[in-house]
Amino acid sequence: MTRNTSQPSGRRLEDRIAWAVRNADGVVAIGVALVIGVLDILDDNFDNNIVSGATLLVLAALVYGSLTERRRRMADIRGATEGTSRAIEDLAMVRTLSGAEVGLAHEKARRNTTRWVFKGGTGTYLRAVTLPECVEEVKRQRRSLSMKIDILNPADDRVCTAYARFRRTFGRQGDAGVHPEWTVERTRKESYATVLAAAWHRQRLDTLEIDVHLSSVAPTLRFDLSDTCLIITQDDPRRVSLYVERGRPLYDYYVTELHQSREQAVKLDLREATPLSDEPTVDEARRLLDRLGLPLPTSFTDPDVGDIIDRALRAEDPYRR
């Protein structure tokens, strides 16, 4: 049985030809040098001008090869520089905000947005500023808005206790008498108030779609995401906040992250909410929460429910001094 060796031989020939093409400058220089050298040795009458010209030709070929290699190196350097520039740009995709810049960033984010995604503790700033301002903007522009709110589950004693402890431990110092202490009861009231506020606003604006999700995980950061940006804040406005423009990878990452968080939370169906008057009564608030499957604790008195209603519709900006 004969072995077919033509294919490997052909492959080797192709490799050699390809090598010669890639190194044409060197091949030419070596070839000319060999030809002239042999002729010079065999023929004593060989014209010195031809030798000199051939020498120049060889040198020119070597210079050409050197320039070609330099161009290749420059192309590699440009490629590496572009890669570095992209890496630096990605690192700079997060901008820091402080002081009044945070409020201005939120105000800009609310303009013309068709969606707002919030994930945080109890949504106090959401009730006081974001929700009513977004509603006014929607009314002014006569457009629709989709809001997704992810807050603590007020019926989960464990997560409310953990969040209250976190806020007491890492909250703002020196604010005694200005901001009430974070207790489990206050945490529950704030979350109940956000649910009530969402239902109240939804019933008054047909183009407003709101989904409320109740989480059993206590967050340490707040996320506000609009069509144009993502803003990440903390409970203390004196701390640095983060701003990410849409189109940056981190924005897309958090779109997915926030979606997954909501998927693991309890969703309330606000379409089942009972009607609320312009000034909701205690009985209306109780009926609404019962209908949503989120009944108030038996320890909550009518004054406690009245406090929840005030927090829902007349919340104060927690960062305004």
Side-chain angles (χ1 to χ4, degrees), residues 42-183:
L42 298 178
D43 189 353
D44 294 335
N45 298 322
F46 199 63
D47 195 341
N48 288 334
N49 289 332
I50 296 177
V51 174
S52 299
T55 302
L56 292 175
L57 180 61
V58 171
L59 291 175
L62 293 176
V63 170
Y64 173 78
S66 177
L67 293 175
T68 301
E69 182 62 25
R70 181 178 297 178
R71 284 196 299 271
R72 290 172 183 166
R73 288 199 299 267
M74 290 299 294
D76 292 340
I77 292 173
R78 282 196 298 270
T81 303
E82 291 174 358
T84 302
S85 299
R86 286 193 297 269
I88 293 174
E89 184 180 352
D90 288 340
L91 288 175
M93 65 184 172
V94 177
R95 181 159 59 91
T96 60
L97 303 174
S98 60
E101 292 178 329
V102 180
L104 293 175
H106 275 88
E107 181 181 350
K108 183 179 179 181
R110 290 192 294 265
R111 298 174 191 164
N112 303 314
T113 189
T114 60
R115 67 168 170 173
W116 194 279
V117 178
F118 171 82
K119 176 177 173 56
T122 59
T124 305
Y125 182 82
L126 178 82
R127 292 193 316 271
V129 181
T130 304
L131 183 52
E133 291 292 335
C134 281
V135 166
E136 288 303 315
E137 192 72 12
V138 168
K139 290 179 179 178
R140 185 178 66 83
Q141 298 187 24
R142 296 186 177 183
R143 57 176 172 80
S144 62
L145 174 66
S146 173
M147 295 193 76
K148 297 186 183 300
I149 301 171
D150 188 346
I151 58 173
L152 295 178
N153 187 344
D156 189 326
D157 183 70
R158 182 188 59 83
V159 72
C160 290
T161 300
Y163 186 74
R165 183 170 57 249
F166 167 76
R167 292 299 300 268
R168 287 196 303 269
T169 303
F170 297 100
R172 288 175 286 180
Q173 302 298 320
D175 283 351
V178 178
H179 297 279
E181 184 181 75
W182 277 92
T183 62

Side-chain angles (χ1 to χ4, degrees), residues 12-53:
R12 284 197 296 271
L13 179 60
E14 291 177 2
D15 292 341
R16 290 169 182 171
I17 294 174
W19 179 88
V21 171
R22 289 195 303 271
N23 300 275
D25 49 346
V27 172
V28 170
I30 294 172
V32 172
L34 289 174
V35 170
I36 299 301
V38 170
L39 290 176
D40 192 23
I41 293 172
L42 298 178
D43 189 353
D44 294 335
N45 298 322
F46 199 63
D47 195 341
N48 288 334
N49 289 332
I50 296 177
V51 174
S52 299

